[in-house]
Each structure stands twice: as structure tokens, then as C-alpha cells.
Amino acid sequence: MTPAARISAAIGILDHVLAGLPAEQALLRWSRSSRFAGSGDRAAVRDLVFDALRCRDSHAALGGALSGRGLMIGGLRAAGRDPAELFTGQGHAPAPLGPDDRPGTADGIADIPDWIRPLWDASLRDRASAVADRMRQRAPVWLRVNPIKADAATAVDALAQDGIAVESDARLPTALRVTAHERRLSQGRAYRDGLVELQDLSPQLACAALPLAAGMRVLDYCAGGGGKTLAVAGRAPGLTLVAHDADPARMRDLPQRAERAGVSVQVTAAPKGVFDLVIADVPCSGSGTWRRTPDSKWRLTSQGLRDLAAVQAQILRRAADLVRPGGHLAYMTCSVLDGENGAQVDQILAENPGFRQVSRQSWTPLEASDGFFLSLMARG
């Protein structure tokens, strides 16, 4: 596909997304109907779509319309390119520019939904604009070295043999940022043999802050794919790891991932007894991950956020009951909004005087990678 043909494809996909179809579904639908597109074409079109969604409102302003065409025109103008070079109408290129494609101004547009902006500003304060700006950029790919299978040096060497370049983070040597050829990862030996797992830096830092000791019983209460279960697995000997999720289907890949990592995990629909550590990485707005799932910020509603807050409070109460006296509860979100973070913790502490907060940490793309929150609480 030519660059212009890729833009035409992205325009069609974006129109479906703007009509309400999730971006991943729209991309999959296009891919299945476009067998002529090679892997490089699919990757390039995906990048065009996600770049446009990260900057939806500002690109729409620069492109003259909130449409797939407007977003592609605006994206080219934002990059300092003349859209007329690609909008020629020749072959599979989009139609030439017309009177409706005149540029507007993107001044003052943060690419954060208007109704969320007050919550965003109140939560992030003097960092609000800088974090919003960083959310317009692509997120880096991070890997976590699996200490059960390899040390950091061994993993880096194996990745290099796979043609994948990485660099470690000074705060956590087992966290590796991919700097080249990330799309080779799934086919490489390092990933296939369980030496590394995909996991963003911020949750890695959060997991590294958890209190772990030999023989502890650990419950990942909202396990999903089990990333945090696997992240704590190699940090202390003899851990009993139990994974639970309200939707068991989310855990369907966990047994295979655990086997690849050399980890034993009990998957359960109903946790029994009490635990030394309960991790509750609750469903949330995902506002800290909007670089990775940019269409989700445009689909979130104020009612949806209120519903999530109610679910978060409910999960916290249930999780607290599963912590033994002297144990810990780790509340986590991938949100930067205080209503999902500190406000929830303050509420559960007010309801449960037997708990006290040990630490509270948050990360944003300015100092880590995804936006992430951790409150560690101890039960007396």
C-alpha cells in the first residue's frame, strides 16, 4: 500500500470509530476485509488511527472537521506536512482538498474530553497540562524480566539475539524499555521461553513496592490476565499465589502465561480464607493508559465514571475482608483521577478503623510510563 492508500484506509476506520465502534474492532474488521494489506501496512494503518485518536480534537480543528478525513488532514498539518501531497485523488489516495478542509486553530485544545478536564486539573494540579500533552504521544513498550527464568543481563542478551534492543531503568533493573524492533517480541525466544513479560514500568514499580516474604499467601483479587500475579511471583520464595476475577474469562490466558513463566498459580472463582497480601487492581477509567487506548477516553461518560467508582468501593470492601490481621491490602488503579484513587482510599479507611495507610504513591508519564496509583494499607 502507498502512504496515500494507508491514509484512505485510516479515514474509513476512523469514521467507524467516531460512529461508536471500538478502535480494535474497527481495525480488525478492516484487516479481515483487506487481505492485500501486509503486516507492515496493517501496522502503519494502526499507528495512523491511534495517533489520530490521541489528538482527536486538536487534529479535527486543524483538519476542518471531526471526521476520519479531518483527522488525517489535521495530523499531517500538525506534523508540518502539506496534506495536498497525499490527498490527490489518484489511485487509492483520498480526494483532493476542498473548501471544507480549511484549517482552524488548535490553540488551547488539550485533547482531554471537556467534561473530564476539571477533574483532570484538580487531580494533577500543576502537572495537568504537561501530563495531557504527554498523553498525545505514543507510549513506550516495557518488559519485565522474570527472575525465575533469568537475570536482567541474561534477558538483555537473549533479546539482543532476537534483534530487540532494550535499556533498563535505574530504579528497577528488571524493567526494560524496548528501544527498537518491538514487533519482533512475540516471535522471539526471550518472550517465548518466559524470560520476559510485557508489563508497563508503572505497575512494575508498584509491584516492587509491595511487602513480600517467604511463604506468604497472596491474592490477586482482580487478576485479569495475571500480570501482577506473575510480577510478584519471583520476589520471594514459596509464595502461595491465588488469582481471582469477577469475570473468569479474563483469566483464560493466565494458566498458559504462568506455565511459560515457571510459576504455580491457583485460579479460583471464590477465594477462601484470609491472605497476607491482597492486591486489588480495580476496574477504572484507564485515564493513565490513554496513550495506549486513546479511543476509551472519548467513549467514557460521566455516568460511566460514577458507575466505576461504585464498583471500586464495593471491591475494596470485599477485598478488605480477605486480609488477615497483620496483613496488607494494596489498592491499585491505572487512573490519574483522584476520585478513583485517594478518595476511594480515604473512604475505606474511614469505614474500617482497623486499617491504616502505610504508603500512597502515584506515577504519571512524566516520571514513569502509564499513570498509576498505589495505596498500601495494613490491617491491625
Side-chain angles (χ1 to χ4, degrees), residues 61-257:
L62 291 171
L66 181 54
S67 64
R69 179 180 174 87
L71 291 177
M72 285 294 96
I73 293 171
L76 290 167
R77 286 175 174 151
R81 299 185 63 185
D82 182 359
E85 296 176 358
L86 293 166
F87 282 68
T88 64
Q90 299 176 5
H92 296 287
L97 301 185
D100 294 335
D101 300 317
R102 287 190 296 267
T105 178
D107 293 347
I109 296 177
D111 289 309
I112 300 294
D114 290 342
W115 71 269
I116 281 187
R117 189 63 191 271
L119 305 176
W120 183 275
D121 291 348
S123 299
L124 292 163
R125 301 184 182 181
D126 60 345
R127 299 181 298 165
S129 293
V131 174
D133 184 63
R134 193 64 60 89
M135 287 294 181
R136 292 184 173 116
Q137 304 169 21
R138 297 183 193 181
V141 175
W142 287 87
L143 305 175
R144 176 182 51 77
V145 177
N146 175 13
I148 295 172
K149 292 285 190 78
D151 58 21
T154 301
V156 170
D157 182 64
L159 288 163
Q161 293 180 37
D162 294 334
I164 301 166
V166 296
E167 61 183 23
S168 63
D169 186 272
R171 292 164 292 182
L172 196 60
T174 52
L176 306 176
R177 187 172 75 90
V178 179
T179 58
H181 306 303
E182 62 192 54
R183 289 191 168 99
R184 297 180 184 177
L185 181 65
S186 62
Q187 304 302 318
R189 182 182 69 85
Y191 178 78
R192 188 178 61 247
D193 292 352
L195 278 63
V196 296
E197 283 278 348
L198 279 163
Q199 189 173 41
D200 186 68
L201 173 63
S202 300
Q204 288 194 56
L205 291 170
C207 288
L210 299 177
L212 292 167
M216 286 175 57
R217 295 189 77 222
V218 179
L219 171 64
D220 190 352
Y221 189 71
C222 304
K228 291 167 189 66
T229 306
L230 301 180
V232 304
R235 294 194 47 233
L239 295 177
T240 298
L241 299 170
V242 181
H244 163 270
D245 199 282
D247 181 0
R250 296 191 188 112
M251 299 187 291
R252 60 180 175 270
D253 295 332
L254 179 52
Q256 181 181 357
R257 292 182 68 191

Side-chain angles (χ1 to χ4, degrees), residues 272-297:
K272 293 181 173 61
V274 291
F275 296 82
D276 300 289
L277 172 64
V278 176
I279 302 168
D281 182 9
V282 300
C284 69
S285 65
S287 56
T289 65
W290 280 346
R291 292 192 292 180
R292 302 181 191 279
T293 58
D295 63 319
S296 66
K297 69 178 171 181

Side-chain angles (χ1 to χ4, degrees), residues 336-380:
V336 297
L337 303 178
D338 188 62
E340 301 182 275
N341 296 339
Q344 291 285 13
V345 173
D346 292 343
Q347 179 64 33
I348 196 70
L349 291 174
E351 294 176 2
N352 292 269
F355 280 84
R356 62 180 176 86
Q357 185 168 243
V358 176
S359 63
R360 182 182 293 193
Q361 302 178 68
S362 61
W363 295 268
T364 76
L366 301 181
E367 67 275 349
S369 186
D370 287 349
F372 204 81
F373 176 83
L374 163 67
S375 173
L376 182 65
M377 294 165 272
R379 186 171 193 174

